[in-house]
Amino acid sequence: MSKNEMTQAMELVAPRILEEAAFIFSETLDAAAEPADDWAPVGVQLRWEGPSNGSMRVWADPALLPVLAANMLGIEEDDPLCMAKGLDAAKETLNMIVGNCLTEAWGPGPVFHLNIPETVSAELFASDRIDGIWLSAEGRAMLLWCDA
């Protein structure tokens, strides 16, 4: 499997997972619509091991996290629980995206071990934005990056 196959899987899977799991509609952003250099996203990462080892990161506008949590938990966005659970919702969303991307790219046969999703340092964002896939999710920027 090439990096290109995993990137193609991300392009297909991420919008579907956002819609099905969190009722969030997304579309691809073109280069002109990407956020400015001073954008300060929150990042989460998930590593896996198996026939292919790699990691995927999701960088999201912090304002998207409570929306993810509200939609996944079935509660109102202004509920204080949404702010507290936003990062957990981003991690679970990434977990679903990675699992589905691995199946999309490799098929249902191979077994992969997924690590626990974790928060990542903002310092990694600068290099990820070069090779990542940009989405607009509910009007908020989101970047998916993969090293497979």
Side-chain angles (χ1 to χ4, degrees), residues 73-84:
L73 295 171
I75 58 179
E76 296 298 321
E77 286 179 37
D78 60 354
D79 188 310
L81 188 58
C82 291
M83 292 303 292

Side-chain angles (χ1 to χ4, degrees), residues 1 13 37 45 60-61 67 91 95 98 100 103 106 138 143:
M1 179 190 68
V13 167
D37 288 337
Q45 172 177 269
D61 185 319
V67 177
K91 290 176 181 177
N95 191 39
V98 169
N100 280 267
T103 301
W106 283 85
E138 298 293 319
L143 172 69

Side-chain angles (χ1 to χ4, degrees), residues 4-38:
N4 192 26
E5 288 171 317
M6 198 62 168
T7 299
Q8 289 174 355
M10 281 191 318
E11 291 172 340
L12 180 69
V13 167
R16 186 182 76 227
I17 295 299
L18 287 168
E19 183 177 343
E20 291 175 0
F23 309 104
I24 290 179
F25 297 96
S26 64
E27 60 187 14
T28 304
L29 284 177
D30 62 20
E34 292 174 10
D37 288 337
D38 62 352

Side-chain angles (χ1 to χ4, degrees), residues 29-37 39 129-130 132-135 141-143:
L29 284 177
D30 62 20
E34 292 174 10
D37 288 337
W39 186 56
R129 78 179 292 152
I130 296 167
I133 298 168
W134 285 96
L135 297 176
M142 182 179 219
L143 172 69

